[in-house]
């Protein structure tokens, strides 16, 4: 019995640790100034691409990961992705070749891209119900806490040299070991293996249900795209608004970011509890309140009020967005889970990437951009609410897409 409990705990730890890999590309951003001095023959933009090139390859291989999973299986693909990430991420710690470092960062994106969708889908393979919802909230918190600690450790290692800062990626190794020994093959031991077997015997009906579910997944991907497009406008423009509106200094704006991120972690931790009471309504409610806080931030000139609104915005985002990943897990079976999660992750990544362009379209000043981004979230909340109400009036989903 004790052994069974230990295995369950280690399975949860292993799955949550994978989410740290998902966001780890930026933890060495502080090395950029020192690296610029070491590579004077390269422009600042080229040096900064050491961070951004990872995201480019993550996006590409998030989509490719589904095909790899079909060949290797989910556990093997995750192990392959973590192994690629663990090896490639350490190369800058020992190399003085700019080209080698750039290639290693691109390969890091390959590894993260392969593992990224599985950080979500594997949770849905082994857990269900309210505990699944709890874990979806915890995964966001684990990702934020883990990357924050890695960033702090990288900062301490940076005192030695920028090469040493990259040794922070040695923390990928325990994740790899945990995954190899404590995560079973979901195709053999996952709770959805029965559903996969039923698919083989009822192919036409299941295929129709899968298409129905895929349409809903695409809807949630679109929601994430628009949500992150709007929220990241505030991230991009807040420091500028502080200066333009005389609220304070860019340093004070960074405090708002820190408070917002911490509140987002808290939101993720309590998501499972609130989900029990609000169910699907937690999504439009959270997006609506996030939008209202952004409108408030655009209208205030008080640093204290800005911090309070930032905390509220982060919390409301933290308690609403995990619902999407919970719902996508419910809409998926073993065969469709990797691609379904890839779609929503690509939606969020592209939305974040386009935020600077979105900001320029939403307003000529930083305050106008943030205010209009808030209004956009309010509209998104209304669309989501109408869609949910329409779904409730329609016939119950097929068993594949249980609500």
């Amino acid at each position: 019995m004790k052994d069974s409990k230990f295995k369950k705990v280690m399975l949860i730890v292993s799955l949550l640790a994978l989410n740290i890999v998902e966001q780890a590309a930026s933890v060495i951003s502080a090395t950029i100034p020192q690296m610029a001095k070491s590579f004077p023959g390269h422009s600042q933009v080229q040096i900064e691409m050491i961070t951004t090139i990872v995201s480019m390859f993550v996006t590409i291989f998030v989509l490719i990961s589904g095909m790899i999973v079909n060949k290797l299986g989910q556990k093997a693909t995750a192990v392959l992705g973590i192994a690629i990430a663990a090896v490639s991420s350490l190369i800058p710690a020992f190399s003085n070749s700019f080209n080698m470092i750039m290639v290693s960062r691109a390969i890091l994106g390959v590894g993260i891209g392969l593992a990224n969708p599985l950080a979500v889908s594997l949770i849905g393979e082994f857990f269900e119900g309210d505990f699944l919802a709890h874990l979806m909230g915890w995964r966001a918190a684990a990702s934020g806490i883990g990357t924050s600690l890695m960033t702090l450790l990288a900062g301490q290692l940076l005192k030695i040299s920028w090469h040493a800062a990259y040794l922070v990626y040695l923390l990928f190794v325990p994740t790899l070991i945990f995954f190899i020994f404590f995560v079973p093959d979901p195709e053999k031991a996952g709770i959805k293996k029965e559903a996969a077997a039923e698919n083989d015997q009822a192919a036409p009906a299941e295929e129709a249900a899968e298409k129905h579910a895929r349409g809903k997944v695409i809807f949630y991907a679109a929601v994430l795209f628009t949500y992150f497009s709007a929220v990241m406008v505030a991230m991009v423009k807040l420091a500028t608004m502080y200066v333009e509106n005389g609220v304070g200094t860019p340093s004070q704006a960074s405090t708002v970011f820190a408070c917002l991120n911490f509140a987002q972690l808290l939101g993720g931790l309590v998501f499972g509890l609130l989900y029990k009471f609000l169910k699907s309504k937690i999504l439009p409610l959270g997006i609506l309140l996030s939008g209202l806080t952004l409108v408030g931030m655009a209208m205030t000139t008080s640093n204290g009020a800005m911090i309070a609104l930032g905390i509220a915005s982060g919390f409301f985002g933290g308690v609403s967005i995990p619902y999407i990943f919970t719902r996508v897990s419910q809409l998926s079976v073993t065969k469709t889970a990797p691609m379904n999660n890839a779609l929503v992750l690509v939606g969020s990544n592209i939305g974040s990437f386009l935020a600077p362009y979105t900001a320029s379209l939403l307003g000529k000043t930083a305050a106008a951009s943030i205010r209009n981004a808030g209004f956009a979230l309010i509209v998104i909340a209304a669309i989501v609410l109408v869609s949910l109400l329409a779904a409730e009036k329609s016939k119950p989903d097929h068993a594949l897409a249980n609500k």
Side-chain angles (χ1 to χ4, degrees):
M1 187 70 175
K2 288 183 179 180
D3 185 56
S4 178
K5 287 183 177 179
F6 173 76
K7 287 182 178 180
K8 181 178 180 180
V9 170
M10 291 308 300
L11 170 60
I12 294 171
V13 169
S14 303
L15 294 175
L16 293 180
L18 182 57
N19 289 279
I20 299 174
V21 177
E22 175 186 347
Q23 299 291 334
S26 62
V27 300
I28 48 75
S29 296
T31 64
I32 296 299
Q34 285 192 23
M35 294 184 73
K37 293 180 181 178
S38 296
F39 300 106
H42 296 273
S43 68
Q44 184 70 20
V45 171
Q46 289 175 314
I47 301 296
E48 291 171 350
M49 278 186 65
I50 288 172
T51 298
T52 59
I53 195 172
V54 180
S55 299
M56 182 190 308
F57 280 83
V58 167
T59 302
I60 294 171
F61 277 83
V62 156
L63 292 173
I64 294 176
S65 67
M67 293 184 287
I68 306 298
V69 166
N70 289 337
K71 298 289 185 182
L72 303 180
Q74 292 192 66
K75 177 180 177 177
T77 303
V79 169
L80 176 63
I82 301 168
I84 291 173
V87 174
S88 61
S89 62
L90 291 171
I91 290 175
F94 308 100
S95 177
N96 285 309
S97 167
F98 181 82
N99 291 335
M100 178 67 75
I101 291 171
M102 188 66 77
V103 170
S104 73
R105 296 293 286 177
I107 296 174
L108 172 61
V110 173
I112 294 176
L114 290 176
N116 204 348
L118 300 170
V120 181
S121 67
L122 283 170
I123 294 176
E125 289 291 338
F126 295 106
F127 303 97
E128 58 186 346
D130 290 337
F131 195 66
L132 168 65
H134 280 293
L135 286 180
M136 287 300 176
W138 295 354
R139 68 168 288 275
S143 176
I145 294 170
T147 52
S148 295
L149 291 176
M150 287 182 72
T151 301
L152 290 173
L153 180 56
Q156 294 302 308
L157 292 170
L158 186 59
K159 295 177 181 178
I160 302 173
S161 70
W162 66 261
H163 285 290
Y166 281 87
L167 293 175
V168 73
Y169 288 116
L170 283 169
L171 293 175
F172 283 176
V173 176
T175 301
L176 178 61
I177 294 172
F178 287 168
F179 234 83
I180 291 173
F181 290 102
F182 297 110
V183 178
D185 286 313
E187 289 83 1
K188 298 177 181 178
I191 60 174
K192 293 180 179 177
K193 65 183 187 302
E194 294 87 357
E198 291 173 3
N199 284 350
D200 294 335
Q201 298 175 6
E206 293 298 333
E207 185 177 351
E210 286 174 14
K211 289 181 179 179
H212 181 61
R214 180 60 56 81
K216 292 189 174 185
V217 170
I218 292 173
F219 169 75
Y220 287 122
V223 171
L224 273 186
F225 169 77
T226 51
Y227 174 82
F228 278 99
S229 293
V231 169
M232 289 304 294
V233 166
M235 302 296 100
V236 171
K237 289 293 187 180
L238 188 62
T240 303
M241 190 184 80
Y242 257 65
V243 176
E244 288 181 352
N245 290 13
V247 180
T249 65
S251 178
Q252 288 175 310
S254 69
T255 302
V256 178
F257 292 145
C259 293
L260 187 153
N261 289 332
F262 181 72
Q264 200 168 31
L265 300 182
L266 293 179
L269 289 173
V270 302
F271 164 74
L273 178 63
L274 294 178
Y275 173 77
K276 284 185 179 181
F277 299 99
L278 296 173
K279 296 300 180 183
S280 62
K281 294 179 180 58
I282 197 171
L283 180 61
L285 180 61
I287 295 175
L288 171 64
L289 294 173
S290 292
L292 291 174
T293 57
L294 289 191
V295 173
M297 291 171 75
M299 298 174 65
T300 186
T301 56
S302 165
N303 183 54
M306 197 75 75
I307 291 174
L309 288 167
I311 291 172
S313 179
F315 181 81
F316 294 136
V319 298
S320 57
I321 298 307
Y323 170 80
I324 291 181
F325 292 101
T326 302
R327 188 72 180 110
V328 169
S329 288
Q330 293 169 343
L331 289 163
S332 304
V333 294
T334 297
K335 183 174 69 174
T336 61
M339 179 53 71
N340 285 346
N341 284 287
L343 288 171
V344 292
L345 289 169
V346 167
S348 63
N349 286 334
I350 295 178
S352 299
F353 174 74
L354 293 178
Y357 304 98
T358 305
S360 66
L361 294 174
L362 289 176
K364 294 182 179 180
T365 66
S369 295
I370 294 174
R371 181 193 65 228
N372 292 334
F375 287 140
L377 286 180
I378 294 170
V379 172
I380 294 166
I383 293 172
V384 171
L385 180 59
V386 170
S387 299
L388 290 173
L389 293 175
E392 288 178 1
K393 290 181 180 179
S394 65
K395 292 181 180 180
D397 290 343
H398 188 274
L400 176 67
N402 282 335
K403 189 171 179 178

